[in-house]
Amino acid sequence: MGFFALVTGKRGPSGFGSASTAEQVTEGVDASNVTAIVTGGASGIGLETARVLALRGAHVIIAARNLEAANEAKQLILKDNQTARIDILKLDLSSIKSVRAFVDGFNALDLPLNLLINNAGVMFCPFQLSEDGIEIQFATNHLGHFLLTNLLLEKMKTTAKTTGVEVRIVNLSSIAHTSTYESGIRFDRINDPDSYSTLNAYGQSKLANILHANELSRRLQEEGVSITVNSVHPGLIATRLMRHSPLLMKAFKMFTFCMWKNVPQGAATTLYVALHPKLKGISGKYYVDCNETKPSKDAGDENLAKKLCDFSNKLIDGASKI
């Protein structure tokens, strides 16, 4: 789309652009037959995503680490939309145990699953290991969503088969996927504190989001399953995600103020990819400002994607044995 389109809001081939809002890109869409999970749906663009999904009739499950905040989000949605269907389940993506417990809880609801939005994340965190001994940004942003998606995959396949309606998975990545370590994914030093960079570790996890989406898309297409998997960059939005680097963000915003979006604009690309009928059958793509865009060279590397998948499964298997 380019810098000019970003700052002016010029619409691209999809008919939407950087200034489009979540409500605008879903106008006229009936999602009353959709059951959706939104990770991190208690705040920021996750909350806006959940709100607009409910506005279009979807049954939304907000997956959140903080149940108090999730309940406040639910009440906020219900205040303006009394018929909204919202459920809340606890999910800490940095914990393999929590991810498994969430899936058990969701399965107990005996619901279909038409839409999975892997939205939650952390950003620019100081070096820290998760309870499973994995670097926190990689554990939360990639590995938790990787496991969550895998554990829900059979449910989504069943939903697609029994309803005859396409199921969609959306991974929230970032333009930051272009700013990672030299090797892209540091498979041999994923937990190395000495060479840790808050920015590169974040970029690494966002690169992993795209690679995960692409590899899963490839495998599902080989199976002939009616499930699409795409990744998106929501844009630059000031949310709690940036709480770990307030000074850096203030300086960054001073020089990039014309590129920032508000929250309704930030949720637009996610919802465009999640619900718009134009994207039926489209899979393994990367979207920015509601338009398909080519990601980095590393993000399009099929061998790297396959290696990441194998590596992620080994990490999960190893952590589960501790």
Side-chain angles (χ1 to χ4, degrees):
M1 289 289 287
F3 178 77
F4 178 77
L6 174 63
V7 299
T8 62
K10 180 182 177 182
R11 300 183 177 217
S14 69
F16 303 107
S18 63
S20 300
T21 67
E23 288 196 25
Q24 289 171 343
V25 303
T26 58
E27 187 174 356
V29 174
D30 178 9
S32 58
N33 64 341
V34 171
T35 300
I37 292 174
V38 181
T39 69
S43 62
I45 59 175
L47 171 54
E48 178 68 359
T49 299
R51 183 189 73 81
V52 175
L53 281 171
L55 182 67
R56 302 307 178 211
H59 182 179
V60 182
I61 289 81
I62 293 177
R65 183 172 51 183
N66 186 331
L67 290 182
E68 183 178 349
N71 189 58
E72 289 176 0
K74 176 180 178 178
Q75 297 308 315
L76 187 66
I77 294 171
L78 288 170
K79 183 179 178 181
D80 294 326
N81 180 7
Q82 295 181 4
T83 61
R85 294 179 291 162
I86 306 288
D87 283 309
I88 296 168
L89 287 174
K90 184 176 179 62
L91 174 63
D92 180 353
L93 285 158
S94 70
S95 164
I96 290 173
K97 180 180 179 181
S98 178
V99 173
R100 294 188 185 280
F102 170 86
V103 173
D104 288 343
F106 175 76
N107 287 336
L109 296 175
D110 195 26
L111 294 169
L113 182 55
N114 310 88
L115 176 61
L116 173 61
I117 299 182
N118 291 321
N119 164 84
V122 293
M123 184 178 186
F124 301 161
C125 303
F127 181 81
Q128 179 185 346
L129 295 179
S130 70
E131 67 179 43
D132 301 302
I134 302 162
E135 189 274 309
I136 198 70
Q137 295 194 82
F138 191 81
T140 304
N141 297 347
H142 165 65
L143 201 64
H145 282 126
F146 177 87
L147 176 60
L148 176 68
T149 304
N150 283 352
L151 293 178
L152 291 170
L153 206 50
E154 286 306 314
K155 169 70 75 172
M156 289 186 277
K157 289 179 181 180
T158 300
T159 299
K161 185 176 180 179
T162 57
T163 64
V165 178
E166 180 181 87
V167 169
R168 297 185 184 185
I169 301 170
V170 183
N171 278 6
L172 266 75
S173 180
S174 168
I175 193 68
H177 82 273
T178 61
S179 300
T180 182
Y181 296 105
E182 185 176 352
S183 57
I185 307 291
R186 299 200 310 175
F187 296 107
D188 57 339
R189 290 187 292 164
I190 204 75
N191 295 330
D192 181 15
D194 296 329
S195 57
Y196 178 77
S197 160
T198 57
L199 277 68
N200 288 343
Y202 179 69
Q204 172 180 248
S205 70
K206 295 290 100 180
L207 172 60
N209 292 148
I210 301 178
L211 292 169
H212 169 219
N214 291 351
E215 175 62 11
L216 181 57
S217 173
R218 184 189 66 79
R219 295 186 181 198
L220 291 172
Q221 287 182 68
E222 283 186 353
E223 288 184 44
V225 180
S226 185
I227 302 176
T228 64
V229 196
N230 293 292
S231 49
V232 305
H233 165 51
L236 298 173
I237 309 106
T239 67
R240 291 190 67 253
L241 186 63
M242 298 176 177
R243 62 190 179 276
H244 291 293
S245 302
L247 294 178
L248 176 62
M249 284 303 104
K250 281 184 180 180
F252 184 54
K253 283 193 73 173
M254 285 178 62
F255 293 100
T256 59
F257 67 93
C258 59
M259 299 169 61
W260 287 68
K261 297 181 179 182
N262 57 36
V263 170
Q265 292 169 339
T269 304
T270 298
L271 282 160
Y272 173 73
V273 174
L275 292 181
H276 206 282
K278 280 186 179 179
L279 269 72
K280 183 177 180 181
I282 304 299
S283 191
K285 305 298 183 181
Y286 173 64
Y287 288 83
V288 179
D289 298 334
C290 301
N291 288 273
E292 183 185 339
T293 305
K294 190 174 181 179
S296 70
K297 182 179 178 180
D298 281 342
D301 188 330
E302 289 189 14
N303 291 327
L304 187 61
K306 292 175 184 177
K307 187 174 181 181
L308 175 65
C309 180
D310 292 340
F311 177 71
S312 300
N313 281 321
K314 288 178 182 178
L315 275 181
I316 291 167
D317 290 343
S320 298
K321 293 175 183 177
I322 296 177

